[in-house]
Amino acid sequence: MRLSLPAVLSAQMRNAPVISRYLGITLAVCLVDLATKWVAVRSLGEWGLYPLSDRFWFTLVWNTGAAGGVSNGPYTWLISVVVTVVALLLVLGVVRSIAAIDSRATTALGLVSGGACGNLLSIVAGPRGVADFIAIRLTEETTMVANGADLFLWGGALLLVPVGATLLRLARAERADRRAAVFTRDTTMAYAG
C-alpha cells in the first residue's frame, strides 16, 4: 500500500507529542503571517489599493496600537510585548493538559499562538507598527483592516469554542459528582448517628 506525503505527515502529526505539534503549528502560522505581511508591504506600497469585491480589498495600513488598534499611550509597545509573551508562556504551560481533555485544543491554541507571535515579531521589528492589509467593509461606515495573524487568531478562537464547551461540561460533571459524594456521606452519617 502506497501512502501519499500528506497522509504520512498527517499520521506523524497525530502521533507527535502535544508540545511538538503545538510548537510546529505555532511556528508555521507565524512564518505564514510574516511572509504574507512581507508580500503585502512590497506589493502594496504606501498607497496601493487592490479591490477584490465591494466588501473586500487589499490596502496597507500600519497599526501602531495594541490589539484592535487600541492605544495605551507611550506604553502601547511595551504593554503589547509583555502581555503577549506572558500569554504565550501561559498557553505553553496548559496546552498539554487541555489537549488531554480535547485534542482540538492543540490546533486551536497553535493557531492563536502563531498569530500572536506573528504580530509580536511585527511590533518588535520596527517602529512603523504591524502591517494590516486585508480590508473588510462591515457596514457602509465601518471597515476593518486585518492581517494573516488576525485571521489565524480568530480561527483559533473559534476552534476553542467547542473545547471550552467540553471543559465546561466536564467541570459541571465533576461538581455534580462532588455534590453527590457529599450528599451520600451526609446521608450515611445521618443514618449512622
Side-chain angles (χ1 to χ4, degrees):
M1 177 178 164
R2 258 179 74 122
L3 291 175
S4 66
L5 183 58
V8 170
L9 291 176
S10 176
Q12 287 176 345
M13 287 297 285
R14 278 194 308 274
N15 296 328
V18 171
I19 298 297
S20 297
R21 268 192 73 219
Y22 163 75
L23 291 174
I25 293 168
T26 299
L27 179 62
V29 166
C30 181
L31 292 175
V32 167
D33 171 60
L34 294 174
T36 57
K37 286 174 184 167
W38 183 84
V39 168
V41 169
R42 299 295 172 288
S43 61
L44 294 171
E46 289 301 315
W47 307 105
L49 178 67
Y50 297 99
L52 301 173
S53 73
D54 290 343
R55 294 215 176 262
F56 299 99
W57 61 91
F58 291 125
T59 188
L60 183 60
V61 176
W62 292 100
N63 179 356
T64 57
V70 176
S71 176
N72 298 312
Y75 301 106
T76 301
W77 184 89
L78 180 62
I79 291 170
S80 296
V81 170
V82 170
V83 168
T84 303
V85 169
V86 168
L88 289 169
L89 291 173
L90 289 172
V91 169
L92 184 60
V94 300
V95 68
R96 185 178 292 140
S97 301
I98 297 174
I101 296 167
D102 192 327
S103 62
R104 295 173 288 194
T106 306
T107 301
L109 292 171
L111 290 171
V112 170
S113 296
C117 284
N119 278 341
L120 174 66
L121 292 174
S122 296
I123 290 169
V124 172
R128 297 181 85 181
V130 177
D132 288 339
F133 56 91
I134 304 167
I136 304 165
R137 184 180 321 154
L138 303 174
T139 67
E140 289 302 317
E141 298 84 29
T142 307
T143 299
M144 175 186 71
V145 184
N147 58 45
D150 299 330
L151 300 179
F152 286 121
L153 282 160
W154 299 331
L158 286 173
L159 288 175
L160 281 172
V161 171
V163 173
T166 299
L167 293 173
L168 272 172
R169 190 176 65 252
L170 290 173
R172 287 181 180 153
E174 184 178 319
R175 192 175 10 198
D177 289 347
R178 278 193 303 233
R179 286 184 188 151
V182 168
F183 176 76
T184 302
R185 185 194 69 207
D186 290 348
T187 306
T188 304
M189 290 173 63
Y191 286 124

